[in-house]
Amino acid sequence: MNKTITGLKLGLPKEIWTQDIDIIAPHLKEWRDIYNGNTPIMLTPRTTAEVSKCINACRQNNFKIVPQGGNTGLVGGQIPMGEVLISLTKMKKIRKVCKVNNSMIVEAGATLQEVHNAANNFDKQFPLFLSSQGSCTIGGNLSTNAGGNHVLKYGTTRDLVFGVEAVLANGDIYDGLTNLRKDNTGYDLSNLFIGAEGTLGIITAASLKLFNIPKYTQRALIAVQSPKMAIELLEHSRCDGKMSMFEVMSHISFNAVVKNFSMVRDPFKKAYPWYVLIDWDTESKAMGLRLAENLLSAAYEKKIISDAVIAQNETQSKEIITIRENMSAGQKYLGGSIKFDITVPIEYIPSFLIKTDKLITKLIPGCRPVAFGHFGDGNIHYNISQPPNVEKHIFLGKWDDASELVFDIVTEFNGSISAEHGIGVMKKKELAKRSDPVKYNMLRLVKNALDPSNIMNPRVLL
Ligand SMILES: Cc1cc2nc3c(=O)[nH]c(=O)nc-3n(C[C@H](O)[C@H](O)[C@H](O)COP(=O)(O)OP(=O)(O)OC[C@H]3O[C@@H](n4cnc5c(N)ncnc54)[C@H](O)[C@@H]3O)c2cc1C
């Protein structure tokens, strides 16, 4: 082993590798503390050419590779278990901004927040918004095809790129950094790397689509009695594409945040079973307020909603989104949590929730279903919190049984077992078991063609 590590190091500049345990440690532990990894060495290339050198050195010395961006992934894909860790965090350059074409080329290690700031400097926006945006990187966003709060209007990360630059398992550099809006010259090779979770190569840069910043965004927090009413409200309030966010929170998830975080408060006088957060992009504040008032008073008349708070200024608007942004953190106050990130066709959300709540509480008596998320995209973060009288490790031991139950219902409703977070190592068996065999075989063929020795993130996805 030492011999090959020596060989690996010999081929690389000494500034781009470390075996210092204190430096590597934060990269081996992830946000939920589910996966704890190990690696013989961490590589931090600074350029695309250095990424290529790193991959060649690993391959020639028989090491497998795990690429890592901001380490905010939630399915264990970025945590090495003995593989070489290649961190992209030193590749942060904004290479080019083209205002007239609304495009920007950035390196993979730039955080999403840094990408936002760079776009804003040109009075533009890159409309991918995640609570993890201060840490997650654009390379990670692409590799997981991240979603977030504005998919309803702008689509997922896949919809927000022209192309990528990536280093393949054989060290070749694929240059797909086009900013052409039309290019019909065969397979969309850049798209292969999007959602590939680092299994086909390392994304080193991306050509992103930029958009105009909305003149005004009107926000409201609305109380409803049930998911069915939430879906009726979605239909009632779409408003010719003006709606840019439609997030739903069950009472238990909402309450866990307003009760435990001092920077937010419950704006309602009484508790409601469900809450909806809506954004509409409008031409001015006056138009935003008028639109929200008209839509919501009509919804109240029709008995779709029970109460509503329309944000009157930036502070109120920020306070409302802060509740939503702290859903995952708030849940930690409810004890251990078994989490699912699923999607079903929007019209089935109410039936999915009724059926799953009923069966999961039968499987794990006393557990508390905690549902929230991007209902406007059919995406539910369906989490289950620990029963108060059951020890955490006993509860978490039910994870596989709970998965089986939840995924069976997802399949019954023609949904997907992963809406946003990807497959990683967490849902690999489920993907193999539940995929259409033709699709699964095609995934394998693509992997074998681009990475025949299986050196790129070998334990992930397939
Ligand atoms: C608080 C919180 C909120 C979140 N909210 C959302 C949300 O709303 N929507 C959503 O979709 N996700 C969400 N996530 C999940 C996570 O932030 C996203 O998956 C994000 O895109 C991961 O980016 P990252 O840079 O941290 O990637 P990492 O965690 O470092 O890696 C994720 C995967 O991508 C691979 N990878 C990373 N960089 C590269 C690269 N350059 N080339 C090839 N492969 C690479 C890794 O090997 C791994 O398989 C959230 C996470 C947290 C902690």
Side-chain angles (χ1 to χ4, degrees), residues 378-418:
N379 178 190
I380 309 164
H381 295 306
Y382 189 82
N383 300 340
I384 306 157
S385 280
Q386 184 183 348
N389 55 350
V390 174
E391 279 186 52
K392 187 173 173 180
H393 72 278
I394 295 176
F395 166 67
L396 292 179
K398 302 266 184 197
W399 197 303
D400 285 349
D401 294 341
S403 294
E404 190 71 13
L405 185 149
V406 172
F407 292 153
D408 276 350
I409 306 173
V410 167
T411 308
E412 181 189 326
F413 283 105
N414 297 323
S416 165
I417 61 169
S418 174

Short mmCIF file of all heavy atoms in Angstrom, two decimals, residues 378-418:
data_model
loop_
_atom_site.label_atom_id
_atom_site.label_comp_id
_atom_site.label_asym_id
_atom_site.label_seq_id
_atom_site.Cartn_x
_atom_site.Cartn_y
_atom_site.Cartn_z
N GLY A 378 -44.16 18.06 -6.73
CA GLY A 378 -44.50 16.68 -6.36
C GLY A 378 -43.47 16.08 -5.41
O GLY A 378 -43.51 14.88 -5.12
N ASN A 379 -42.54 16.89 -4.92
CA ASN A 379 -41.42 16.39 -4.11
C ASN A 379 -41.71 16.55 -2.61
O ASN A 379 -41.90 17.65 -2.13
CB ASN A 379 -40.17 17.18 -4.51
CG ASN A 379 -38.92 16.82 -3.74
OD1 ASN A 379 -37.92 17.51 -3.85
ND2 ASN A 379 -38.92 15.77 -2.95
N ILE A 380 -41.75 15.40 -1.92
CA ILE A 380 -42.03 15.42 -0.48
C ILE A 380 -40.80 14.93 0.27
O ILE A 380 -40.28 13.86 -0.03
CB ILE A 380 -43.20 14.47 -0.13
CG1 ILE A 380 -44.40 14.74 -1.03
CG2 ILE A 380 -43.57 14.59 1.34
CD1 ILE A 380 -45.42 13.61 -1.03
N HIS A 381 -40.34 15.72 1.25
CA HIS A 381 -39.36 15.18 2.19
C HIS A 381 -40.20 14.46 3.25
O HIS A 381 -40.75 15.09 4.15
CB HIS A 381 -38.51 16.30 2.79
CG HIS A 381 -37.66 16.98 1.75
ND1 HIS A 381 -36.80 16.28 0.94
CD2 HIS A 381 -37.56 18.27 1.37
CE1 HIS A 381 -36.20 17.11 0.11
NE2 HIS A 381 -36.64 18.32 0.35
N TYR A 382 -40.32 13.14 3.04
CA TYR A 382 -41.18 12.36 3.94
C TYR A 382 -40.27 11.74 5.00
O TYR A 382 -39.58 10.76 4.74
CB TYR A 382 -41.94 11.28 3.17
CG TYR A 382 -42.98 10.61 4.03
CD1 TYR A 382 -44.22 11.21 4.23
CD2 TYR A 382 -42.70 9.42 4.69
CE1 TYR A 382 -45.16 10.62 5.05
CE2 TYR A 382 -43.65 8.83 5.52
CZ TYR A 382 -44.87 9.44 5.69
OH TYR A 382 -45.81 8.87 6.53
N ASN A 383 -40.26 12.37 6.17
CA ASN A 383 -39.39 11.91 7.25
C ASN A 383 -40.23 11.32 8.37
O ASN A 383 -41.41 11.64 8.53
CB ASN A 383 -38.56 13.07 7.79
CG ASN A 383 -37.68 13.68 6.70
OD1 ASN A 383 -37.43 13.02 5.69
ND2 ASN A 383 -37.26 14.90 6.90
N ILE A 384 -39.58 10.45 9.15
CA ILE A 384 -40.30 9.83 10.26
C ILE A 384 -39.48 10.07 11.51
O ILE A 384 -38.30 9.69 11.57
CB ILE A 384 -40.44 8.31 10.02
CG1 ILE A 384 -41.07 8.05 8.65
CG2 ILE A 384 -41.27 7.66 11.11
CD1 ILE A 384 -40.74 6.68 8.12
N SER A 385 -40.08 10.73 12.51
CA SER A 385 -39.33 11.02 13.73
C SER A 385 -39.56 9.93 14.77
O SER A 385 -40.62 9.30 14.83
CB SER A 385 -39.70 12.39 14.28
OG SER A 385 -39.00 13.37 13.56
N GLN A 386 -38.53 9.80 15.58
CA GLN A 386 -38.46 8.76 16.61
C GLN A 386 -39.65 8.80 17.58
O GLN A 386 -40.03 9.87 18.02
CB GLN A 386 -37.17 9.08 17.38
CG GLN A 386 -36.74 8.18 18.45
CD GLN A 386 -35.47 8.74 19.13
OE1 GLN A 386 -34.82 9.66 18.64
NE2 GLN A 386 -35.16 8.19 20.27
N PRO A 387 -40.24 7.65 17.93
CA PRO A 387 -41.26 7.66 18.97
C PRO A 387 -40.59 8.09 20.29
O PRO A 387 -39.49 7.62 20.58
CB PRO A 387 -41.71 6.19 19.06
CG PRO A 387 -41.20 5.54 17.82
CD PRO A 387 -40.00 6.31 17.38
N PRO A 388 -41.22 8.96 21.07
CA PRO A 388 -40.56 9.49 22.27
C PRO A 388 -40.13 8.39 23.25
O PRO A 388 -39.16 8.56 23.97
CB PRO A 388 -41.64 10.39 22.89
CG PRO A 388 -42.56 10.72 21.77
CD PRO A 388 -42.52 9.58 20.81
N ASN A 389 -40.83 7.27 23.26
CA ASN A 389 -40.51 6.24 24.27
C ASN A 389 -39.61 5.12 23.73
O ASN A 389 -39.46 4.08 24.36
CB ASN A 389 -41.80 5.63 24.82
CG ASN A 389 -42.68 5.11 23.69
OD1 ASN A 389 -42.39 5.38 22.52
ND2 ASN A 389 -43.71 4.35 24.01
N VAL A 390 -39.04 5.31 22.54
CA VAL A 390 -38.20 4.25 21.95
C VAL A 390 -36.78 4.79 21.78
O VAL A 390 -36.59 5.93 21.35
CB VAL A 390 -38.76 3.81 20.57
CG1 VAL A 390 -37.82 2.81 19.89
CG2 VAL A 390 -40.14 3.21 20.73
N GLU A 391 -35.77 3.97 22.13
CA GLU A 391 -34.39 4.44 22.00
C GLU A 391 -34.02 4.65 20.53
O GLU A 391 -34.49 3.91 19.66
CB GLU A 391 -33.44 3.43 22.62
CG GLU A 391 -33.38 3.58 24.13
CD GLU A 391 -32.33 2.66 24.73
OE1 GLU A 391 -31.18 2.70 24.27
OE2 GLU A 391 -32.72 1.89 25.63
N LYS A 392 -33.14 5.65 20.32
CA LYS A 392 -32.82 6.07 18.94
C LYS A 392 -32.29 4.91 18.10
O LYS A 392 -32.73 4.69 16.97
CB LYS A 392 -31.78 7.20 19.01
CG LYS A 392 -31.49 7.84 17.67
CD LYS A 392 -30.60 9.06 17.86
CE LYS A 392 -30.15 9.62 16.54
NZ LYS A 392 -29.29 10.77 16.68
N HIS A 393 -31.34 4.10 18.65
CA HIS A 393 -30.74 3.06 17.80
C HIS A 393 -31.76 1.97 17.46
O HIS A 393 -31.71 1.39 16.38
CB HIS A 393 -29.48 2.48 18.46
CG HIS A 393 -29.74 1.61 19.64
ND1 HIS A 393 -29.96 2.12 20.90
CD2 HIS A 393 -29.86 0.26 19.75
CE1 HIS A 393 -30.17 1.13 21.74
NE2 HIS A 393 -30.12 -0.01 21.07
N ILE A 394 -32.71 1.74 18.37
CA ILE A 394 -33.75 0.72 18.06
C ILE A 394 -34.65 1.26 16.93
O ILE A 394 -34.96 0.56 15.97
CB ILE A 394 -34.57 0.39 19.32
CG1 ILE A 394 -33.65 -0.28 20.34
CG2 ILE A 394 -35.79 -0.49 19.00
CD1 ILE A 394 -34.26 -0.59 21.66
N PHE A 395 -35.00 2.54 17.07
CA PHE A 395 -35.84 3.16 16.03
C PHE A 395 -35.12 3.15 14.68
O PHE A 395 -35.67 2.72 13.65
CB PHE A 395 -36.19 4.59 16.47
CG PHE A 395 -36.75 5.44 15.37
CD1 PHE A 395 -37.99 5.15 14.81
CD2 PHE A 395 -36.03 6.52 14.87
CE1 PHE A 395 -38.50 5.92 13.77
CE2 PHE A 395 -36.54 7.30 13.85
CZ PHE A 395 -37.77 7.00 13.30
N LEU A 396 -33.85 3.59 14.66
CA LEU A 396 -33.12 3.67 13.38
C LEU A 396 -32.89 2.29 12.77
O LEU A 396 -32.73 2.15 11.56
CB LEU A 396 -31.78 4.41 13.56
CG LEU A 396 -31.90 5.91 13.88
CD1 LEU A 396 -30.53 6.55 14.05
CD2 LEU A 396 -32.70 6.67 12.83
N GLY A 397 -32.92 1.26 13.61
CA GLY A 397 -32.81 -0.12 13.12
C GLY A 397 -33.99 -0.52 12.22
O GLY A 397 -33.94 -1.53 11.53
N LYS A 398 -35.03 0.29 12.22
CA LYS A 398 -36.22 0.00 11.38
C LYS A 398 -36.10 0.63 9.99
O LYS A 398 -37.07 0.65 9.22
CB LYS A 398 -37.48 0.58 12.05
CG LYS A 398 -37.75 0.06 13.42
CD LYS A 398 -38.70 -1.11 13.35
CE LYS A 398 -39.07 -1.59 14.74
NZ LYS A 398 -39.64 -2.90 14.74
N TRP A 399 -34.95 1.26 9.71
CA TRP A 399 -34.81 2.04 8.46
C TRP A 399 -35.16 1.19 7.23
O TRP A 399 -35.92 1.62 6.36
CB TRP A 399 -33.38 2.59 8.36
CG TRP A 399 -33.24 3.71 7.36
CD1 TRP A 399 -33.55 3.67 6.03
CD2 TRP A 399 -32.78 5.05 7.62
NE1 TRP A 399 -33.30 4.89 5.44
CE2 TRP A 399 -32.83 5.75 6.38
CE3 TRP A 399 -32.32 5.73 8.74
CZ2 TRP A 399 -32.43 7.09 6.26
CZ3 TRP A 399 -31.92 7.05 8.61
CH2 TRP A 399 -31.98 7.72 7.39
N ASP A 400 -34.62 -0.04 7.17
CA ASP A 400 -34.85 -0.87 5.97
C ASP A 400 -36.32 -1.23 5.81
O ASP A 400 -36.87 -1.19 4.70
CB ASP A 400 -34.00 -2.15 6.02
CG ASP A 400 -32.54 -1.85 5.71
OD1 ASP A 400 -32.26 -0.72 5.27
OD2 ASP A 400 -31.70 -2.73 5.95
N ASP A 401 -36.96 -1.58 6.92
CA ASP A 401 -38.39 -1.94 6.86
C ASP A 401 -39.21 -0.73 6.41
O ASP A 401 -40.14 -0.84 5.60
CB ASP A 401 -38.90 -2.40 8.23
CG ASP A 401 -38.25 -3.71 8.65
OD1 ASP A 401 -37.71 -4.40 7.77
OD2 ASP A 401 -38.27 -4.02 9.86
N ALA A 402 -38.84 0.45 6.97
CA ALA A 402 -39.58 1.68 6.61
C ALA A 402 -39.38 1.99 5.13
O ALA A 402 -40.33 2.36 4.42
CB ALA A 402 -39.11 2.84 7.48
N SER A 403 -38.14 1.80 4.63
CA SER A 403 -37.85 2.06 3.21
C SER A 403 -38.72 1.18 2.32
O SER A 403 -39.31 1.66 1.34
CB SER A 403 -36.40 1.72 2.85
OG SER A 403 -35.54 2.56 3.49
N GLU A 404 -38.76 -0.08 2.67
CA GLU A 404 -39.54 -1.03 1.88
C GLU A 404 -40.99 -0.55 1.77
O GLU A 404 -41.58 -0.50 0.69
CB GLU A 404 -39.46 -2.39 2.60
CG GLU A 404 -39.99 -3.57 1.84
CD GLU A 404 -39.08 -3.97 0.68
OE1 GLU A 404 -37.95 -3.49 0.60
OE2 GLU A 404 -39.57 -4.73 -0.17
N LEU A 405 -41.53 -0.16 2.93
CA LEU A 405 -42.93 0.26 2.96
C LEU A 405 -43.15 1.55 2.14
O LEU A 405 -44.02 1.61 1.28
CB LEU A 405 -43.33 0.47 4.43
CG LEU A 405 -44.79 0.82 4.71
CD1 LEU A 405 -45.19 0.27 6.09
CD2 LEU A 405 -45.07 2.31 4.68
N VAL A 406 -42.30 2.55 2.42
CA VAL A 406 -42.49 3.84 1.75
C VAL A 406 -42.28 3.69 0.24
O VAL A 406 -43.09 4.18 -0.57
CB VAL A 406 -41.55 4.92 2.34
CG1 VAL A 406 -41.60 6.20 1.52
CG2 VAL A 406 -41.91 5.20 3.79
N PHE A 407 -41.22 2.99 -0.16
CA PHE A 407 -40.91 2.87 -1.59
C PHE A 407 -41.96 2.03 -2.32
O PHE A 407 -42.23 2.27 -3.51
CB PHE A 407 -39.50 2.32 -1.80
CG PHE A 407 -38.40 3.28 -1.37
CD1 PHE A 407 -37.16 2.80 -0.96
CD2 PHE A 407 -38.61 4.65 -1.40
CE1 PHE A 407 -36.16 3.68 -0.56
CE2 PHE A 407 -37.62 5.54 -1.01
CZ PHE A 407 -36.39 5.05 -0.59
N ASP A 408 -42.55 1.06 -1.63
CA ASP A 408 -43.65 0.30 -2.27
C ASP A 408 -44.81 1.24 -2.61
O ASP A 408 -45.39 1.16 -3.69
CB ASP A 408 -44.18 -0.79 -1.32
CG ASP A 408 -43.33 -2.06 -1.40
OD1 ASP A 408 -42.48 -2.14 -2.30
OD2 ASP A 408 -43.53 -2.95 -0.55
N ILE A 409 -45.10 2.16 -1.68
CA ILE A 409 -46.23 3.07 -1.94
C ILE A 409 -45.85 4.08 -3.03
O ILE A 409 -46.64 4.41 -3.91
CB ILE A 409 -46.69 3.78 -0.64
CG1 ILE A 409 -46.99 2.73 0.44
CG2 ILE A 409 -47.95 4.63 -0.90
CD1 ILE A 409 -47.29 3.30 1.81
N VAL A 410 -44.59 4.53 -3.00
CA VAL A 410 -44.11 5.44 -4.05
C VAL A 410 -44.27 4.77 -5.42
O VAL A 410 -44.76 5.37 -6.38
CB VAL A 410 -42.62 5.81 -3.81
CG1 VAL A 410 -42.02 6.47 -5.04
CG2 VAL A 410 -42.48 6.73 -2.62
N THR A 411 -43.88 3.50 -5.49
CA THR A 411 -43.97 2.77 -6.76
C THR A 411 -45.43 2.64 -7.19
O THR A 411 -45.77 2.84 -8.37
CB THR A 411 -43.34 1.36 -6.60
OG1 THR A 411 -42.04 1.52 -6.06
CG2 THR A 411 -43.23 0.63 -7.93
N GLU A 412 -46.28 2.35 -6.22
CA GLU A 412 -47.72 2.21 -6.53
C GLU A 412 -48.29 3.50 -7.13
O GLU A 412 -49.13 3.47 -8.03
CB GLU A 412 -48.43 1.88 -5.20
CG GLU A 412 -49.92 1.68 -5.31
CD GLU A 412 -50.53 1.59 -3.90
OE1 GLU A 412 -49.87 1.07 -2.97
OE2 GLU A 412 -51.66 2.09 -3.74
N PHE A 413 -47.75 4.65 -6.67
CA PHE A 413 -48.26 5.94 -7.18
C PHE A 413 -47.42 6.48 -8.35
O PHE A 413 -47.46 7.68 -8.65
CB PHE A 413 -48.30 6.98 -6.05
CG PHE A 413 -49.46 6.79 -5.10
CD1 PHE A 413 -49.27 6.26 -3.83
CD2 PHE A 413 -50.75 7.13 -5.47
CE1 PHE A 413 -50.33 6.08 -2.96
CE2 PHE A 413 -51.83 6.97 -4.61
CZ PHE A 413 -51.62 6.43 -3.35
N ASN A 414 -46.62 5.60 -8.99
CA ASN A 414 -45.79 6.00 -10.13
C ASN A 414 -44.81 7.11 -9.80
O ASN A 414 -44.58 8.03 -10.61
CB ASN A 414 -46.66 6.48 -11.31
CG ASN A 414 -47.53 5.37 -11.83
OD1 ASN A 414 -47.10 4.22 -11.85
ND2 ASN A 414 -48.75 5.69 -12.20
N GLY A 415 -44.23 7.04 -8.61
CA GLY A 415 -43.29 8.08 -8.21
C GLY A 415 -41.84 7.65 -8.38
O GLY A 415 -41.54 6.67 -9.05
N SER A 416 -40.93 8.41 -7.75
CA SER A 416 -39.50 8.09 -7.81
C SER A 416 -38.95 8.04 -6.38
O SER A 416 -39.32 8.87 -5.54
CB SER A 416 -38.76 9.15 -8.61
OG SER A 416 -37.37 9.04 -8.37
N ILE A 417 -38.02 7.09 -6.15
CA ILE A 417 -37.44 6.94 -4.80
C ILE A 417 -36.44 8.05 -4.48
O ILE A 417 -36.02 8.20 -3.35
CB ILE A 417 -36.78 5.56 -4.60
CG1 ILE A 417 -35.61 5.36 -5.59
CG2 ILE A 417 -37.80 4.44 -4.75
CD1 ILE A 417 -34.74 4.15 -5.27
N SER A 418 -36.03 8.82 -5.49
CA SER A 418 -35.15 9.95 -5.22
C SER A 418 -35.57 11.15 -6.05
O SER A 418 -35.43 11.16 -7.27
CB SER A 418 -33.70 9.61 -5.53
OG SER A 418 -32.94 10.79 -5.39
#
